[in-house]
Amino acid sequence: MNAPIKTALLSFGMSGKVFHAPFIDAHPGYILVGAWERSKKQIQQIYPHTKSYDTLEALLADDIDLVIVNTPNETHYAYTRLALLAGKNVVLEKPITVTTAEAKALKELALQQQLMICPYQNRRYNSDYLTTKRVIESGLLGNIVEAELRFDRYTPHLSSKAHKETGKPGTGVLYDLGSHLIDQALQLFGEPEALFADIAVTRPGSVIDDYFELLLYYKHCRVRLKSGYFVREPLPGYIVFGTAGSFLKSKADVQENHLIEGKKPTMPNWGIEPEAEQGLLHTAIDGKIIREHVPTEKGNYMGYFEALYQALVHQQPLPVTIDESTAVIAIIEKAFESNQKGCKVILS
């Protein structure tokens, strides 16, 4: 594929405005061609050079290289399939599909069409996750024996986005925030041997899960993933215990808030957390006990789009593979099975 990569969005709601368009517009290797807008026509107010498509068919018929499927989860399979059949490469938001069967079918179709599907896992480029990853890989904690990853919110009321509260396939906090936590756990610790899940509905009037705790069993360690909608006082997003020491890190990446405020990823000091949010490392180095705060890595969602550009134009590895994200869906499926049975489930 030649640069620039002509790119279109399948919606221009929050994800389009916040997580995709600013980066596509800022990266010189892409052209933001437009978005499919069903009712509100907003993209041209922010990006005057773009098109607003009335239908998916019109968008797919246009001269587009890359389609970003950022629509409700239950539509991911159908829209990605249509995009591939129209000859478009696809960025597919998490969770990529509702089932592993759908994910495998899309992978097969992409291979047949000689096109790429790249799941969108932007939280791999969060400052807090990158810092935790660096500390774990440094060996300063020794062998990891226990870890807890959290992604909490205080949102006691039902979402104004109706599609998130319908109870349709792919809705609920496990598919939503859980997709990020599971992806990060798999990146940090690999595939678990088994899991136990507790999934619940806690908000009055809700029909979707809004609380979960997953316990992932590894040969030599345990990893807990937790999320809830009644966490008013934030807890550390990352807690890691090893044979040599401990590391605690707040969930403090600034990028999402800055994007919501309308700030651009080209601004100076993009992705730099406040110094007060540095993680706490308590361990031993060369026989000396240390307890100190460690510098935080810079967050940068643009890293995803740069890696994707290199993959599409220069045949470099994709930043996220469909196999990696299919493994996330497999964990979600097993979690619901565990919750229903009330027991630990072995992963095959």
Side-chain angles (χ1 to χ4, degrees):
M1 181 183 298
N2 297 321
I5 301 166
K6 297 180 285 294
T7 306
L9 309 169
L10 291 199
S11 72
F12 198 64
M14 178 180 173
S15 72
K17 292 177 187 175
V18 171
F19 293 116
H20 297 290
F23 298 94
I24 295 297
D25 184 63
H27 193 295
Y30 297 87
I31 293 177
L32 180 60
V33 178
W36 176 19
E37 297 185 288
R38 296 147 189 78
S39 53
K40 296 179 181 178
K41 300 292 186 177
Q42 298 179 328
I43 190 169
Q44 291 172 333
Q45 298 173 18
I46 304 173
Y47 305 101
H49 62 281
T50 61
K51 301 178 184 179
S52 177
Y53 297 94
D54 292 326
T55 66
L56 176 60
E57 291 75 17
L59 184 151
L60 294 179
D62 206 351
D63 183 19
I64 303 293
D65 302 311
L66 177 66
V67 169
I68 297 179
V69 178
N70 58 327
T71 49
N73 299 342
E74 67 189 68
T75 68
H76 285 185
Y77 172 76
Y79 288 165
T80 301
R81 183 176 181 277
L82 289 173
L84 292 170
L85 291 173
K88 317 300 184 185
N89 294 287
V90 174
V91 165
L92 182 51
E93 278 202 341
K94 62 81 200 166
I96 51 170
T97 53
V98 175
T99 67
T100 52
E102 290 177 338
K104 292 174 181 177
L106 290 179
K107 177 185 176 181
E108 182 63 27
L109 180 58
L111 290 171
Q112 292 173 4
Q113 296 291 101
Q114 298 184 318
L115 295 166
M116 292 185 183
I117 299 176
C118 190
Y120 184 63
Q121 279 290 357
N122 62 313
R123 305 291 178 176
R124 291 189 189 184
Y125 297 84
N126 273 17
S127 54
D128 37 39
Y129 167 73
L130 291 171
T131 305
T132 304
K133 182 173 184 285
R134 185 192 75 212
V135 170
I136 291 173
E137 292 177 347
S138 73
L140 290 173
L141 302 179
N143 296 322
I144 307 304
V145 296
E146 183 182 355
E148 180 175 309
L149 281 61
R150 304 187 65 108
F151 197 160
D152 296 310
R153 289 177 174 163
Y154 184 74
T155 52
H157 304 296
L158 302 186
S159 174
S160 59
K161 300 176 182 178
H163 69 270
K164 290 193 171 187
E165 300 287 356
T166 60
K168 290 183 179 179
T171 56
V173 70
L174 184 55
Y175 272 101
D176 184 15
L177 303 183
S179 293
H180 291 304
L181 291 177
I182 295 168
D183 179 71
Q184 292 185 358
L186 295 180
Q187 291 296 303
L188 292 172
F189 308 106
E191 296 275 352
E193 298 175 344
L195 65 78
F196 178 81
D198 179 20
I199 307 168
V201 178
T202 61
R203 295 171 303 161
S206 179
V207 296
I208 64 166
D209 56 280
D210 48 29
Y211 165 87
F212 72 80
E213 178 174 2
L214 269 59
L215 178 58
L216 305 182
Y217 295 83
Y218 294 85
K219 187 174 182 180
H220 298 296
C221 77
R222 300 289 184 266
V223 177
R224 289 179 178 82
L225 309 179
K226 299 187 71 173
S227 182
Y229 281 7
F230 283 103
V231 184
R232 179 165 250 162
E233 182 63 29
L235 297 167
Y238 301 88
I239 302 172
V240 187
F241 301 130
T243 53
S246 304
F247 180 69
L248 284 72
K249 176 70 183 76
S250 61
K251 208 165 190 66
D253 186 274
V254 299
Q255 294 178 91
E256 180 175 349
N257 287 339
H258 284 175
L259 290 164
I260 291 172
E261 293 167 3
K263 296 178 180 177
K264 302 297 183 183
T266 52
M267 66 178 283
N269 299 322
W270 177 262
I272 297 179
E273 285 186 17
E275 189 172 332
E277 298 293 346
Q278 289 183 345
L280 177 64
L281 176 65
H282 188 176
T283 189
I285 300 178
D286 298 328
K288 180 181 179 181
I289 303 297
I290 66 163
R291 187 177 184 274
E292 62 186 24
H293 290 90
V294 299
T296 306
E297 292 290 314
K298 179 181 178 180
N300 187 17
Y301 296 157
M302 186 64 85
Y304 172 91
F305 293 95
E306 171 60 21
L308 176 62
Y309 171 83
Q310 295 297 331
L312 291 171
V313 177
H314 299 296
Q315 295 76 55
Q316 296 300 305
L318 288 167
V320 186
T321 70
I322 194 166
D323 287 341
E324 290 171 338
S325 289
T326 302
V328 172
I329 305 303
I331 294 288
I332 291 174
E333 289 178 332
K334 289 295 185 180
F336 280 114
E337 178 184 341
S338 170
N339 184 69
Q340 183 179 31
K341 293 180 177 179
C343 65
K344 181 167 73 172
V345 173
I346 304 300
L347 303 178
S348 57

